[in-house]
Amino acid sequence: MKTSEAKFREPQGERPKAVKLAVLPGDGIGPEIVAQAVKVLDVLKRDGAKIEMEYGNIGGIGYDREGDPLPESTLKLSKQADAVLLGAVGGPQYDTLDRPLRPERGLLRIRKELNLFANLRPALLYPELAGASSLKPEVVAGLDIMIVRELTSGLYFGQPRGIEIRKGERVGFNTMFYSESEIRRVAHIAFAIAMKRGKRLCSVEKANVLECSELWREVVAEVAKRYPEVELSTMYVDNAAMQLVRNPKQFDVIVTSNLFGDILSDEASMLSGSIGMLPSASLDEHNKGMYEPIHGSAPDIAGRDIANPLATILSVAMMYRYTFAEAATADRIENAVKQVIAQGYRTSDIWTAGGTKVSCSAMGDAVVAAM
Ligand code: IPM
Ligand code: MG
């Protein structure tokens, strides 16, 4: 991560004396990877940071234990916390539940309830992992992209939506919706981030076909007037998907809608070697945030202690950078991750010849040792 980004927003007043975290491990590999991130938090505590952690259920485990993928207790805990650390949600055993009871709905609801409209998904290549990328090393070397995905509106939340019978057959429908205020606020965040990085912002939409995107383009151009130093470009999403694999290093910051950001961030993650490396931050307008790896719950490898915990650990670094405005702590964690990668420690998803294959918990221990 570029160190310039450390000052994305200036600290708001004094550093809080004690921070309160809601820890929501969730399903699948969630508990294993969150346990490694908690080891990192424990190091900070050992060194004097006052961190209170309280655990809650979300996703399938929320349904199993409390009958709801976002139990009231978890929502309350998360609203009272300064930040939320989340593992992952979902599993095949929940796929046949009524739609409102499925784990993914719990995740969407907590994003909406906490008003976490700005989702920051960095795609960064560690030089030693260039060989793990599916693209040629020279195409991805030095890659450092920040995708800013709108997270609480768009096709994911628009009404009407549903499946019903019309003219004797089933029809399915969703609504892509954006108000100008929703576009404006996420655009402001993206421009502010671009100012702290390479000062280039690419707004990705489909304005040649969708009215919603036409409005997106207009509003982003209006917001651009407030950031004359940032070079704004626009790109249709199909082209952006292509450019990301053709020449990904042309991008600095990308801002896009909920669905397009979901798709493009998965694509971008593979450029960096493994989806197991990428953290994310989801922020409200006061920089309160929820932090989670961008990958899912990986039920196929759950409970085997082989998952990559680095995305979750790096999510803790983002928490310190964005919510707590403690760049030094964020740098410390990120440097420890860089060090273990340089030392050759690899979970199986990023293992290539020559590395030392380690378990999830051993990777967590290695990061702790490097700190
Ligand atoms: C993500 C995930 C979620 C999303 C799913 C699990 C609902 O893919 O965070 O990218 O689509 O937003
Ligand atoms: Mg996704």
Side-chain angles (χ1 to χ4, degrees):
M1 190 148 313
K2 285 178 185 163
T3 45
S4 57
E5 207 190 293
K7 285 189 286 168
F8 157 60
R9 282 190 197 171
E10 304 307 328
Q12 308 282 311
E14 285 291 291
R15 171 185 169 184
K17 287 270 176 314
V19 299
K20 202 173 159 203
L21 300 187
V23 182
L24 315 178
D27 308 321
I29 58 171
E32 302 160 47
I33 53 177
V34 165
Q36 308 316 311
V38 169
K39 285 182 188 167
V40 167
L41 288 161
D42 285 338
V43 173
L44 302 179
K45 277 169 81 169
R46 184 199 67 197
D47 294 348
K50 294 203 177 69
I51 305 168
E52 286 169 31
M53 294 181 242
E54 208 174 312
Y55 285 77
N57 296 311
I58 194 165
I61 195 84
Y63 171 75
D64 288 341
R65 293 190 182 157
E66 302 182 55
D68 187 341
L70 180 61
E72 201 52 50
S73 55
T74 299
L75 183 57
K76 191 170 163 222
L77 169 70
S78 304
K79 281 187 170 165
Q80 286 168 351
D82 299 304
V84 181
L85 177 64
L86 183 114
V89 302
Q93 69 271 44
Y94 306 112
D95 287 348
T96 49
L97 288 174
D98 275 353
R99 232 172 281 119
L101 296 175
R102 289 186 201 161
E104 293 75 13
R105 284 296 175 98
L107 183 60
L108 297 185
R109 264 170 55 209
I110 196 171
R111 289 172 177 171
K112 189 76 173 172
E113 291 275 355
L114 298 182
N115 200 22
L116 306 171
F117 64 86
N119 184 210
L120 280 44
R121 299 188 162 190
L124 183 79
L125 181 77
Y126 292 81
E128 298 86 350
L129 298 184
S133 173
S134 46
L135 267 67
K136 293 191 202 95
E138 63 268 26
V139 175
V140 290
L143 181 89
D144 183 357
I145 303 175
M146 176 66 89
I147 297 183
V148 180
R149 168 190 177 193
E150 199 291 326
L151 202 60
T152 53
S153 184
L155 196 58
Y156 272 54
F157 292 94
Q159 295 286 349
R161 63 190 294 165
I163 299 175
E164 58 185 47
I165 307 281
R166 287 185 199 168
K167 295 185 187 149
E169 65 167 348
R170 285 172 301 160
V171 298
F173 51 95
N174 290 86
T175 302
M176 190 180 269
F177 176 96
Y178 271 109
S179 67
E180 55 179 319
S181 57
E182 288 169 338
I183 302 168
R184 195 170 290 121
R185 64 185 184 175
V186 76
H188 271 293
I189 301 259
F191 276 105
I193 289 174
M195 281 297 289
K196 301 293 180 191
R197 292 177 43 111
K199 299 197 172 143
R200 286 182 299 118
L201 177 64
C202 181
S203 172
V204 172
E205 23 76 345
K206 189 73 184 169
N208 51 344
V209 177
L210 306 170
E211 283 80 359
C212 204
S213 284
E214 211 177 301
L215 180 69
W216 181 281
R217 184 178 281 215
E218 278 175 33
V219 175
V220 171
E222 287 161 23
V223 175
K225 294 186 187 129
R226 300 265 300 273
Y227 302 86
E229 284 179 57
V230 177
E231 182 195 312
L232 172 68
S233 59
T234 60
M235 201 180 271
Y236 297 141
V237 63
D238 48 349
N239 186 24
M242 188 261 279
Q243 295 297 337
L244 268 175
V245 285
R246 194 185 74 91
N247 174 21
K249 282 185 278 178
Q250 70 185 283
F251 296 107
D252 176 21
V253 182
I254 290 174
V255 63
T256 191
S257 60
N258 205 341
L259 179 70
F260 298 161
D262 178 47
I263 299 167
L264 295 181
S265 60
D266 264 33
E267 187 187 1
S269 74
M270 273 321 290
L271 306 177
S272 68
S274 168
I275 195 165
M277 293 299 299
L278 297 195
S280 77
S282 306
L283 303 174
D284 73 2
E285 70 261 34
H286 307 296
N287 277 359
K288 175 170 171 170
M290 184 163 85
Y291 296 83
E292 55 176 313
I294 83 156
H295 60 72
S297 57
D300 52 323
I301 60 165
R304 293 168 53 197
D305 196 26
I306 60 170
N308 185 347
L310 294 179
T312 317
I313 290 172
L314 289 167
S315 297
V316 175
M318 289 191 90
M319 180 187 291
Y320 274 86
R321 194 174 298 289
Y322 292 102
T323 292
F324 302 140
E326 278 188 48
T329 306
D331 289 344
R332 182 180 176 199
I333 299 168
E334 285 166 4
N335 287 334
V337 169
K338 278 186 196 138
Q339 198 176 317
V340 300
I341 294 290
Q343 286 166 339
Y345 293 115
R346 303 281 185 272
T347 42
S348 47
D349 59 313
I350 49 172
W351 188 81
T352 45
T356 312
K357 203 181 267 190
V358 292
S359 66
C360 176
S361 51
M363 186 62 112
D365 293 339
V367 174
V368 165
M371 285 176 76

